[in-house]
Amino acid sequence: MTKTPDSVVRSFIDQHQAGFLADLADWLRIPSVSADPDRAGDVRRSAEWLVAKLRETGFPVAEVWESDGLPAVFAEWPSGEAEAPTVLVYGHHDVQPAAKADGWDTEPFEPVTIGNRLYARGAADDKGQVFFHTLGLRAHLAATGRTAPAVNLKLLIEGEEESGSPNFGALIRRQAERLAADLVFVSDTGMWSETTPTVCTGMRGKADCQIDLYGPDSDIHSGSFGGAVPNPAVTAAELAAALHDGERRVAVPGFYDGVVELTDRERELFAKLPFDEDGWLRTAKSHGTQGEAGYSTLERIWARPTAEVNGVWGGYTGPGSKTIVPAEAHLKISFRLVAGQDTERVEQAITDWVAGQLPAGIRHEITFRAATRPCLTPLDHPALQSTVRAMGRAFEQEILFTREGGSGPAADLQDVVGAPVLFLGISVPSDGWHSINEKVELDLLRKGVEAAAYLWGDLAENYRLPAAGR
Amino acid sequence: MTKTPDSVVRSFIDQHQAGFLADLADWLRIPSVSADPDRAGDVRRSAEWLVAKLRETGFPVAEVWESDGLPAVFAEWPSGEAEAPTVLVYGHHDVQPAAKADGWDTEPFEPVTIGNRLYARGAADDKGQVFFHTLGLRAHLAATGRTAPAVNLKLLIEGEEESGSPNFGALIRRQAERLAADLVFVSDTGMWSETTPTVCTGMRGKADCQIDLYGPDSDIHSGSFGGAVPNPAVTAAELAAALHDGERRVAVPGFYDGVVELTDRERELFAKLPFDEDGWLRTAKSHGTQGEAGYSTLERIWARPTAEVNGVWGGYTGPGSKTIVPAEAHLKISFRLVAGQDTERVEQAITDWVAGQLPAGIRHEITFRAATRPCLTPLDHPALQSTVRAMGRAFEQEILFTREGGSGPAADLQDVVGAPVLFLGISVPSDGWHSINEKVELDLLRKGVEAAAYLWGDLAENYRLPAAGR
Ligand SMILES: [Zn+2]
Ligand SMILES: [Zn+2]
């Protein structure tokens, strides 16, 4: 039996798997719940634990990075080769709150292995997916005989992702120089399923506003005045209803400007995913599909921009009735954006459109929260091809593609680092992120280790820095 | 100088005005606030005071009527003539809450006369307008030399009107036999203004519903699922927006079935009212008009059916944002109805329409509260003509017409008594109903006494019972 590079990686992992899992279990025992102020010490302990472990792995630089909130971890291991690309891996070491009383079968911060699964808060989101890089990197070195990774490797492991990353933007802007990279890899997403390994190629962006509508100076009697003055609750409804046309496209002029359309190849590959609409509806806890004409459900949530009313309120909402024309009404509306849409132009288009929709006698204010840019890697991007090859060697199966419908802080990295964002993750929908009984599938975790072990070499070999260079 | 019947009435009033006002002040001192449980004893005291006063006026029957809540007063004085019509006068003896601390210039339950105005809670709404009937009736007897009124007179003075008349419907159904009448006169409305005396010819009715819309079984993430499943907040908005067409007519099929259109004469007379739109907008605390195409503001609020969203809520309504597709959304919608619309048919039309508007995947419930029927007296109705003549003799001016945009418990009387509802009132918009510094204009109050004094004789002379009789 010839020793292929892959078989070397596999036997290295076999040898070190037990220690790797024991270490991960140690980390999972630290309840680094960023949302709980009482756990701030644990979040710090988690950061310090990781720094020590990264030093042990071989990183010459590994440090706790203070933010204005809870600490992040940064590590760096230069390749030593002039032409090597620089890769920044993003993940987070904080976790969602969890308590056995919420309905867990086991103690969430006492990792337990049952069959092929490791149960603990953070097992998949995101400690497991951060940690596979440590053994992956060691396997990469072992299999290649190198003393440093084939790429310049940087790690940024955030400590407040589960609290909405309130200080992340400021941190990375402050540290932009040290974060400089050619590629960003996010290890905080998942795959289609246990049996259908996939690579995520993009995340939607987001614009997010509140619209406050003011009519009469106070609630007035609908018997005396109704039908003769504009009612802000009706205006709110008419505005929200006008958001979509009859094809359920967003009706704001200019909204679709620049949208990167799905390619035939992407649609073809999405269609190969074993999508079960009934099962998906159960996951969505919904009882019907509705969306933009001409697109499948997956295309709608991954690749099409949308508008959603997240909240609406106005007038009397108590028991019984109160026949008023209310003084005000309010809408919270968020827009998911896809590659090619410019968040500022979209916000301007929305602002202009809203102003043009309102009847005389209704005053309004519109306030936007910070927008998130979309990110997308084309299927023919060489770094994406490296990722697919690394995953393919680990899974020995065709790798398909997904996208992420949500919007993450990783998009901030795209802006600050100015590099494309790619995704490497092995979690699956059944892993129970943010829910009870979170787990990671141990054989998938091992595939993650393996893919990470192959990725750096493949990138060093095949990824050419853009001519304009760093 | 010849003694006309009118001059007899006037001198009688002159003679008795002081005592009449002293009595009214006594009644106004009783804080009969039906909404305040601590004032239940005062409401009873007010009823007993009125019973005593009506007996003193000459009513052979005057009694406290117990309801399931606070007591009403009933009185009856038969004419003694076989062909005389029976008239039931409606008013209420309870009042809105009031305290000097709310911003009154005087103590609300210490009546004070300043110039031509009597200030007190209930001065106009409704004790003053109930009480003018006592002196009016005495003047009628004095001027005609009768010992009993020219019509069979009944009074029903409610004790819970300001609390929404929760027990009124049950009370009048229980007492339907004793309330039998050919005509109902409501003395609980007002006129256009001090200088433009008017008679109200109708009140709008009301249908009133809550629509509950259910989408996902719980709030779901709008990044993961938004744009592919129906969002009940969007559905609520689309439903509320679809209520009106481009002409701002109510778009529910069948809604306008049977609507009694304004006659040319009514539109002509409405147009003679000195309507100042800017002033009206100030009263409406609104900053623009909006309503059904082809109708004036007054026509819209008095004579056209409408749909208003009184309340809407769903999803996240707190600070910041929460990117969800909410599990549910709710609408409170009320419809004002005009003569010719059948409340049950309207409710059925709304129910059918709503069901047909919803996308697959949205479940709904619709709940109606008790509807109120509209009432309207045509301009050529003989009882209305008697009213106009009585008002014309009192005011020595042309009497114009208004309608009431709201919906009152009086409409219940129309149903139970089965008689047309007419209106006799002298209050004006500046009287401050339900507000601070409520007052009645003393010269208008006197005109009310006078009109009441003329009305019964005119009716006895000119109102012929319908052939189908009682
Ligand atoms: Zn995560
Ligand atoms: Zn009243």
Side-chain angles (χ1 to χ4, degrees):
Chain A
M1 200 175 160
T2 49
K3 275 227 157 192
T4 65
D6 294 9
S7 68
V8 176
V9 162
R10 285 185 194 123
S11 26
F12 185 88
I13 297 173
D14 285 342
Q15 281 165 42
H16 297 88
Q17 168 100 336
F20 165 76
L21 290 177
D23 285 346
L24 175 57
D26 278 349
W27 196 20
L28 291 169
R29 275 187 201 98
I30 304 175
S32 49
V33 178
S34 57
D36 183 350
D38 291 346
R39 296 296 196 192
D42 292 311
V43 176
R44 180 166 300 276
R45 200 149 59 86
S46 161
E48 286 162 356
W49 185 95
L50 180 59
V51 163
K53 193 52 63 183
L54 292 172
R55 291 213 181 112
E56 198 183 307
T57 305
F59 279 87
V61 172
E63 26 187 84
V64 169
W65 268 8
E66 298 300 336
S67 76
D68 293 331
L70 296 166
V73 167
F74 176 75
E76 185 171 8
W77 196 340
S79 136
E81 295 185 32
E83 294 302 299
T86 302
V87 172
L88 174 65
V89 171
Y90 167 87
H92 60 91
H93 69 92
D94 64 318
V95 298
Q96 280 277 317
K100 186 144 193 293
D102 299 339
W104 284 67
D105 293 329
T106 62
E107 283 292 343
F109 297 107
E110 277 303 328
V112 176
T113 301
I114 302 173
N116 183 46
R117 295 168 165 184
L118 172 63
Y119 288 89
R121 171 58 85 220
D125 178 20
D126 183 35
K127 285 173 174 168
Q129 300 205 106
V130 167
F131 206 58
F132 72 58
H133 283 285
T134 60
L135 184 56
L137 181 56
R138 289 165 63 202
H140 160 61
L141 298 176
T144 56
R146 301 180 55 92
T147 54
V151 298
N152 300 304
L153 196 60
K154 296 180 179 182
L155 259 61
L156 177 61
I157 312 301
E158 195 194 343
E160 296 187 306
E161 199 273 345
E162 300 294 4
S163 301
S165 303
N167 303 293
F168 187 66
L171 175 69
I172 63 176
R173 278 169 184 80
R174 205 160 59 227
Q175 299 281 12
E177 227 168 295
R178 297 190 68 191
L179 293 172
D182 303 301
L183 298 167
V184 173
F185 272 86
V186 169
S187 283
D188 187 26
T189 57
M191 308 193 302
W192 178 261
S193 75
E194 289 83 338
T195 50
T196 307
T198 53
V199 167
C200 174
T201 65
M203 271 183 136
R204 290 196 290 190
K206 191 177 67 177
D208 187 344
C209 67
Q210 178 166 323
I211 302 170
D212 301 300
L213 300 164
Y214 302 97
D217 296 333
S218 64
D219 292 351
I220 58 174
H221 188 245
S222 72
S224 305
F225 305 107
V229 296
N231 173 334
V234 171
T235 305
E238 291 177 346
L239 194 61
L243 271 176
H244 293 97
D245 67 15
E247 307 270 80
R248 300 212 79 79
R249 282 170 64 85
V250 177
V252 175
F255 182 75
Y256 288 92
D257 285 0
V259 159
V260 174
E261 297 290 334
L262 279 159
T263 62
D264 289 347
R265 178 79 182 134
E266 279 171 305
R267 302 189 79 167
E268 212 173 90
L269 289 171
F270 281 174
K272 285 178 83 168
L273 292 166
F275 179 68
D276 161 25
E277 190 153 274
D278 288 344
W280 181 84
L281 277 174
R282 278 192 298 277
T283 311
K285 300 177 187 170
S286 291
H287 305 280
T289 60
Q290 188 187 45
E292 189 183 350
Y295 294 91
S296 72
T297 290
L298 289 180
E299 289 166 353
R300 287 168 177 170
I301 57 174
W302 288 346
R304 298 301 299 170
T306 62
E308 283 297 345
V309 175
N310 306 124
V312 56
W313 69 106
Y316 181 69
T317 61
S321 69
K322 197 169 167 189
T323 46
I324 54 168
V325 174
E328 43 192 87
H330 309 270
L331 287 165
K332 285 184 192 280
I333 302 179
S334 61
F335 299 82
R336 297 289 165 175
L337 308 179
V338 301
Q341 284 180 297
D342 178 77
T343 54
E344 277 174 42
R345 280 181 54 196
V346 163
E347 289 180 352
Q348 191 58 54
I350 295 163
T351 302
D352 294 345
W353 176 78
V354 168
Q357 293 289 307
L358 305 179
I362 297 286
R363 188 170 64 77
H364 83 293
E365 283 166 21
I366 181 165
T367 321
F368 285 90
R369 289 171 62 82
T372 305
R373 288 213 303 143
C375 52
L376 178 68
T377 315
L379 295 189
D380 58 4
H381 191 285
L384 182 61
Q385 295 186 331
S386 290
T387 311
V388 170
R389 278 192 298 270
M391 287 285 281
R393 283 160 72 183
F395 282 90
E396 298 178 289
Q397 250 185 279
E398 182 186 20
I399 304 299
L400 293 173
F401 297 94
T402 64
R403 292 197 200 172
E404 185 63 41
S407 314
D412 251 2
L413 284 170
Q414 172 185 246
D415 283 3
V416 172
V417 178
V421 171
L422 295 108
F423 299 85
L424 187 72
I426 49 73
S427 181
V428 285
S430 63
D431 281 352
W433 289 32
H434 300 203
S435 156
I436 58 167
N437 296 327
E438 181 178 347
K439 53 86 181 167
V440 67
E441 301 281 329
L442 290 174
D443 57 353
L444 298 182
L445 186 64
R446 188 200 155 96
K447 302 289 187 198
V449 173
E450 222 181 303
Y454 303 135
L455 181 58
W456 312 135
D458 193 299
L459 277 174
E461 204 168 315
N462 298 299
Y463 182 72
R464 291 285 153 264
L465 297 184
R470 290 146 59 195
Chain B
M1 199 174 162
T2 49
K3 276 226 159 194
T4 66
D6 294 9
S7 66
V8 176
V9 163
R10 283 181 197 128
S11 22
F12 185 88
I13 298 174
D14 285 341
Q15 280 165 42
H16 296 87
Q17 169 100 334
F20 166 76
L21 291 177
D23 284 347
L24 175 56
D26 278 349
W27 196 20
L28 292 169
R29 276 187 200 100
I30 304 174
S32 50
V33 178
S34 57
D36 182 352
D38 291 345
R39 296 297 195 189
D42 293 312
V43 176
R44 180 166 300 276
R45 200 148 58 86
S46 160
E48 285 162 356
W49 184 96
L50 180 59
V51 163
K53 192 53 62 184
L54 292 172
R55 290 211 184 115
E56 199 182 307
T57 305
F59 278 86
V61 172
E63 23 186 89
V64 170
W65 268 8
E66 299 300 335
S67 77
D68 293 331
L70 296 166
V73 167
F74 176 74
E76 186 172 8
W77 195 340
S79 134
E81 295 184 32
E83 293 302 299
T86 301
V87 172
L88 173 64
V89 171
Y90 167 86
H92 59 91
H93 69 92
D94 65 319
V95 298
Q96 281 277 317
K100 183 142 195 294
D102 298 341
W104 284 66
D105 294 329
T106 61
E107 282 292 342
F109 297 107
E110 279 302 330
V112 176
T113 301
I114 302 174
N116 183 45
R117 294 168 166 185
L118 172 63
Y119 288 89
R121 172 57 85 220
D125 180 19
D126 185 34
K127 285 174 175 168
Q129 300 205 101
V130 167
F131 207 57
F132 72 57
H133 282 286
T134 60
L135 185 54
L137 181 55
R138 288 166 62 202
H140 161 61
L141 298 177
T144 56
R146 301 180 56 93
T147 53
V151 298
N152 301 304
L153 196 58
K154 296 180 180 184
L155 259 61
L156 177 61
I157 312 301
E158 195 194 345
E160 295 187 307
E161 199 275 345
E162 300 296 1
S163 301
S165 303
N167 303 293
F168 186 66
L171 175 68
I172 63 177
R173 278 169 183 79
R174 206 160 57 227
Q175 299 281 13
E177 227 168 293
R178 296 190 67 191
L179 293 172
D182 302 302
L183 298 167
V184 173
F185 271 85
V186 169
S187 282
D188 188 27
T189 57
M191 308 192 302
W192 179 261
S193 75
E194 290 82 338
T195 50
T196 306
T198 52
V199 166
C200 174
T201 65
M203 273 185 133
R204 290 196 289 190
K206 192 177 66 178
D208 187 342
C209 67
Q210 179 165 325
I211 303 170
D212 303 299
L213 299 164
Y214 301 97
D217 295 333
S218 64
D219 292 351
I220 58 174
H221 188 244
S222 72
S224 306
F225 304 108
V229 296
N231 173 335
V234 171
T235 305
E238 292 179 344
L239 194 59
L243 270 177
H244 293 96
D245 67 15
E247 307 270 80
R248 300 212 79 78
R249 281 171 64 84
V250 177
V252 175
F255 181 74
Y256 288 92
D257 285 1
V259 159
V260 174
E261 297 291 334
L262 279 159
T263 62
D264 290 346
R265 178 78 183 136
E266 279 171 304
R267 300 188 80 168
E268 213 171 274
L269 289 171
F270 281 174
K272 284 179 84 167
L273 292 167
F275 179 67
D276 161 25
E277 190 152 275
D278 288 344
W280 181 85
L281 277 173
R282 279 192 297 277
T283 312
K285 299 178 186 169
S286 291
H287 305 280
T289 59
Q290 188 187 44
E292 189 182 352
Y295 293 92
S296 72
T297 291
L298 288 181
E299 290 167 352
R300 286 167 177 171
I301 58 175
W302 287 347
R304 299 301 300 169
T306 62
E308 284 296 344
V309 175
N310 306 123
V312 55
W313 69 106
Y316 181 68
T317 61
S321 69
K322 197 169 168 191
T323 47
I324 54 168
V325 174
E328 44 192 85
H330 309 270
L331 287 165
K332 285 185 193 279
I333 302 178
S334 61
F335 299 82
R336 296 288 165 175
L337 308 179
V338 300
Q341 284 179 296
D342 178 78
T343 53
E344 276 175 42
R345 281 180 55 196
V346 163
E347 289 179 353
Q348 191 59 52
I350 296 163
T351 303
D352 293 346
W353 176 78
V354 168
Q357 293 289 308
L358 306 179
I362 297 286
R363 188 169 64 78
H364 84 291
E365 282 166 22
I366 181 165
T367 320
F368 285 89
R369 289 172 62 82
T372 305
R373 286 213 303 144
C375 53
L376 178 68
T377 315
L379 295 191
D380 58 2
H381 190 285
L384 182 61
Q385 293 186 330
S386 289
T387 311
V388 170
R389 276 191 300 269
M391 288 285 282
R393 283 161 71 183
F395 282 90
E396 297 179 290
Q397 248 185 282
E398 184 186 17
I399 304 299
L400 292 174
F401 297 94
T402 64
R403 292 197 199 171
E404 185 63 40
S407 314
D412 252 3
L413 283 171
Q414 171 184 247
D415 284 3
V416 172
V417 178
V421 171
L422 295 108
F423 299 85
L424 186 71
I426 48 74
S427 181
V428 286
S430 62
D431 281 351
W433 290 32
H434 300 205
S435 157
I436 59 167
N437 297 326
E438 181 178 349
K439 53 89 181 164
V440 68
E441 301 282 329
L442 290 175
D443 56 352
L444 298 182
L445 187 63
R446 188 199 157 95
K447 301 289 187 198
V449 172
E450 221 181 305
Y454 303 135
L455 182 57
W456 311 137
D458 192 301
L459 277 173
E461 202 168 316
N462 298 299
Y463 183 72
R464 291 284 152 265
L465 298 186
R470 290 144 62 193

